[in-house]
Amino acid sequence: YQRRVHGTSSSTTVHRTTNKPAMSSSSVDPNIKLAAKIALAAGGLFAAYIAVKKYLRKKECLTITNSQQLVKIGTRKSQLAMWQANFVADALRASYPHIDFQVVGISTTGDIDTSTPLSAFESKGVFTKELDVALLANHIDVAVHCMKDLPTTLPPGLDFGSVLERGDCADALVLRKDHEGKTLASLPPGSVIGTSALRRRAVIAKHYPHLVFKEIRGNVNSRLAKLDRGEYDGLILAQVGLKRLNFAHRISQILEIDTLGYAVGQGALAILCRESDDAMKTLMSPLDHFATKVSCEAERGLLRTLQGGCKVPIAVRTEFQESKEGYKLTLHGQVLSVDGTECIDHSQSASFSRSSAVESATELGNIVGRELSAKGADVILEAIRQKAHEELIHRPPNKQ
């Protein structure tokens, strides 16, 4: 461990030496001695190991912050994505004022192709793939994503650096001006609601069958422009995105989470690092939010078990509780047909300690996913996938 601390460093990374001669006890950092001695007395050899490891991670972070003067933060080029990346950059600058955090915008497949429905894309990661490539090629140091855009299994070589505290999870209704004061329930029959998410279409159709749904793509500004031109009666958008872009005044109704749920990972931001870059993970760690990370792990476990994504209507809701005994997480999962006429749900809770939180949350997601499948969710999802595949075969080539 002492060798890790005393390794030399370049301008961008922390190097650790492995061929130094054994050090005498007098040359060991006194702080390491103290941490190990206290932990050894309190909890044995393993506790001492953990204590020393934590100390060295902090010292490693100091090493990189003293040597690396520029950290490139990759993100999509949309206005919302740039806002989120700059939010992360500002938070990091507060912790490391001497480091230059630079936001780098990268166009993704989903940003370039704004006409194809999300459910019609053949590949996963339509909003993340180009960022993954840039990160693995060392063109950027970290990448900021909306958690809901990430595939449930990260590409080889990438890992989470941190998961930031979750914002508002609820969806919001934005109405055309001539519908001001109305809600989903009071809109006239046949009103056209724009959304790109099958989940939103399904859950709203279940509770408000008098509405008609129409695909919409593009960034928040372009969607609002289409609404104002009269192409739609209303839009369903993420409340958190509207607030981040100062469009809170356009919200006509905040939809009930207890009834409609939300998408896996909705409202949370994730920072990805290279899996081997321990120093950069350490640099990002102050932004990690425990409750959000654990909740998202459970939601992603459910989605992974059901082999879902943006192509299937799956809604979730999590409740995180902390007590003197430990932690408790409740996961509510729901699978619907696209028209909302079929709905299967299941809820389950798990209690765990902090050390086993991530593993326990993932297993909770797996269990809820398996229970949903046993109740018939896999039949609904297979029918949706089959229909999407047939539509893809007969879809004319994209001219964009």
Side-chain angles (χ1 to χ4, degrees):
Y1 277 123
Q2 182 72 5
R3 290 168 185 166
R4 286 181 60 192
V5 174
H6 287 277
T8 57
S9 62
S10 70
S11 60
T12 58
T13 187
V14 174
H15 295 279
R16 302 156 180 102
T17 58
T18 57
N19 57 353
K20 287 190 176 183
M23 297 180 180
S24 66
S25 61
S26 61
S27 66
V28 176
D29 188 326
N31 290 309
I32 293 181
K33 282 185 177 180
L34 180 61
K37 186 175 181 180
I38 294 173
L40 188 61
L45 186 60
F46 183 72
Y49 165 82
I50 295 299
V52 172
K53 186 174 181 181
K54 285 182 178 179
Y55 171 79
L56 287 166
R57 282 182 66 82
K58 289 181 181 179
K59 188 144 188 176
E60 180 181 271
C61 188
L62 290 174
T63 303
I64 188 171
T65 56
N66 285 327
S67 61
Q68 180 160 333
Q69 300 304 314
L70 174 64
V71 173
K72 293 184 177 181
I73 303 172
T75 185
R76 294 166 54 195
K77 284 187 174 180
S78 73
Q79 185 181 1
L80 180 57
M82 294 296 286
W83 184 99
Q84 292 168 167
N86 279 293
F87 174 80
V88 169
D90 287 342
L92 290 168
R93 289 180 189 118
S95 296
Y96 313 107
H98 58 286
I99 295 183
D100 180 12
F101 292 96
Q102 182 184 104
V103 174
V104 179
I106 297 174
S107 295
T108 66
T109 301
D111 297 315
I112 297 170
D113 181 353
T114 58
S115 61
T116 302
L118 291 179
S119 58
F121 281 99
E122 290 185 84
S123 61
K124 297 179 181 179
V126 296
F127 291 116
T128 61
K129 186 167 55 177
E130 286 76 9
L131 287 162
D132 296 340
V133 171
L135 186 52
L136 290 169
N138 295 311
H139 296 293
I140 55 177
D141 299 297
V142 297
V144 176
H145 296 280
C146 288
M147 179 68 85
K148 67 182 181 62
D149 290 337
L150 290 173
T152 53
T153 300
L154 296 180
L158 298 183
D159 195 7
F160 286 106
S162 66
V163 177
L164 280 70
E165 184 174 5
R166 203 168 206 163
D168 295 310
C169 298
D171 288 324
L173 171 67
V174 179
L175 291 174
R176 207 171 57 214
K177 290 183 179 180
D178 55 310
H179 289 305
E180 195 171 328
K182 296 176 182 175
T183 64
L184 287 173
S186 62
L187 281 171
S191 295
V192 178
I193 303 299
T195 178
S196 61
L198 289 182
R199 174 193 59 83
R200 288 171 175 156
R201 177 180 299 197
V203 296
I204 294 173
K206 178 180 186 295
H207 297 280
Y208 306 100
H210 66 289
L211 301 175
V212 175
F213 299 91
K214 181 181 175 183
E215 181 75 23
I216 186 171
R217 289 288 317 282
N219 58 41
V220 173
N221 289 290
S222 65
R223 294 190 192 197
L224 291 175
K226 292 175 184 178
L227 173 68
D228 294 338
R229 288 198 299 266
E231 297 179 31
Y232 303 85
D233 293 289
L235 303 177
I236 304 296
L237 298 167
Q239 179 188 7
V240 67
L242 290 166
K243 288 184 174 180
R244 286 170 179 169
L245 295 180
N246 297 317
F247 285 122
H249 64 283
R250 295 296 305 264
I251 296 175
S252 304
Q253 178 187 2
I254 296 174
L255 307 188
E256 289 290 333
I257 286 178
D258 290 347
T259 303
L260 304 177
Y262 43 82
V264 167
Q266 184 161 322
L269 296 178
I271 301 176
L272 294 192
C273 302
R274 287 179 289 276
E275 190 174 26
S276 59
D277 196 345
D278 291 337
M280 194 57 63
K281 291 180 188 178
T282 303
L283 200 69
M284 299 297 119
S285 62
L287 303 187
D288 204 40
H289 189 257
F290 179 68
T292 300
K293 184 174 185 176
V294 172
S295 298
C296 288
E297 282 291 340
E299 296 167 16
R300 286 167 58 81
L302 180 154
L303 194 62
R304 191 182 304 112
T305 300
L306 292 175
Q307 299 179 15
C310 62
K311 300 181 181 181
V312 291
I314 298 174
V316 297
R317 178 166 53 89
T318 50
E319 298 162 6
F320 181 88
Q321 297 174 297
E322 181 177 355
S323 66
K324 293 181 179 179
E325 290 72 34
Y327 304 93
K328 180 181 179 181
L329 183 67
T330 302
L331 173 61
H332 308 270
Q334 190 177 65
V335 175
L336 306 97
S337 59
V338 176
D339 61 6
T341 57
E342 297 179 84
C343 178
I344 295 173
D345 52 42
H346 184 76
S347 300
Q348 194 154 323
S349 300
S351 297
F352 44 83
S353 64
R354 193 177 188 93
S355 61
S356 65
V358 172
E359 294 79 5
S360 298
T362 301
E363 181 56 24
L364 175 62
N366 295 340
I367 292 170
V368 174
R370 290 194 294 266
E371 289 295 328
L372 287 167
S373 293
K375 291 181 178 181
D378 51 348
V379 177
I380 295 176
L381 296 177
E382 183 55 36
I384 293 172
R385 293 189 188 100
Q386 184 60 37
K387 183 178 179 181
H389 179 69
E390 292 172 359
E391 290 177 350
L392 183 63
I393 292 175
H394 297 98
R395 182 179 176 81
N398 193 340
K399 295 182 180 180
Q400 259 190 291

